[in-house]
Amino acid sequence: MKNYLTTQKGSIALISMLIISSFVLLLAVGMAENGISTGYQNLNSFMNESSNNYAEGCFEEAIHRIETDVNFSGYTLNFTDGNCVITVSGVNQKVIDITLNFLDYSQTFRGSVDITQSGHATNATLSSWTEI
């Protein structure tokens, strides 16, 4: 009996083509997986930036309300993609907690402002702002 591979013409080329095709397929799958992973990283980065922007807006709203009413204690601010819950505590130094619910993300931020009275005007000076 003769060896099957030696009697069939083109069998080496066929096996070589199968090996090369398998290698190319593995490369393509790896590149696609890398592209999907990069897409998720970009989405997470965008969502983090957007949620920070919303939280800062809620924080500024809280400061504005404190400056107009020093007894302001909190509020829920609704917007298209979610809401933020503002909680204020303290007397001369107000601690402002912002719980942001944005799409599928939820983050909590804390900031503090020093309150000063100048005649009838109330001024708030930012002391700290951080994600907790």
Side-chain angles (χ1 to χ4, degrees):
M1 271 191 139
K2 288 187 172 184
N3 188 349
Y4 182 74
L5 290 177
T6 58
T7 60
Q8 300 296 321
K9 294 186 181 202
S11 59
I12 299 292
L14 180 64
I15 291 173
S16 297
M17 189 177 84
L18 287 174
I19 291 172
I20 291 170
S21 296
S22 299
F23 181 72
V24 169
L25 181 64
L26 285 173
L27 283 176
V29 168
M31 289 172 61
E33 187 175 310
N34 185 31
I36 291 170
S37 175
T38 301
Y40 279 125
Q41 287 175 349
N42 289 339
L43 176 65
N44 284 336
S45 175
F46 171 76
M47 297 305 283
N48 185 42
E49 182 179 331
S50 296
S51 64
N52 283 339
N53 291 339
Y54 276 115
E56 284 181 20
C58 292
F59 189 72
E60 289 176 10
E61 176 69 19
I63 291 173
H64 173 71
R65 290 187 183 221
I66 289 169
E67 288 177 337
T68 57
D69 177 15
V70 292
N71 296 318
F72 175 71
S73 62
Y75 181 73
T76 299
L77 185 63
N78 296 307
F79 45 88
T80 305
D81 298 324
N83 67 15
C84 66
V85 179
I86 302 167
T87 308
V88 179
S89 61
V91 179
N92 288 332
Q93 184 178 43
K94 300 282 189 178
V95 176
I96 303 169
D97 290 326
I98 306 289
T99 302
L100 177 71
N101 300 303
F102 175 65
L103 297 175
D104 293 335
Y105 295 86
S106 181
Q107 289 178 293
T108 302
F109 298 87
R110 176 171 285 162
S112 53
V113 292
D114 294 320
I115 303 299
T116 55
Q117 290 284 126
S118 178
H120 293 293
T122 303
N123 296 312
T125 305
L126 179 64
S127 299
S128 67
W129 169 251
T130 186
E131 181 179 355
I132 56 174

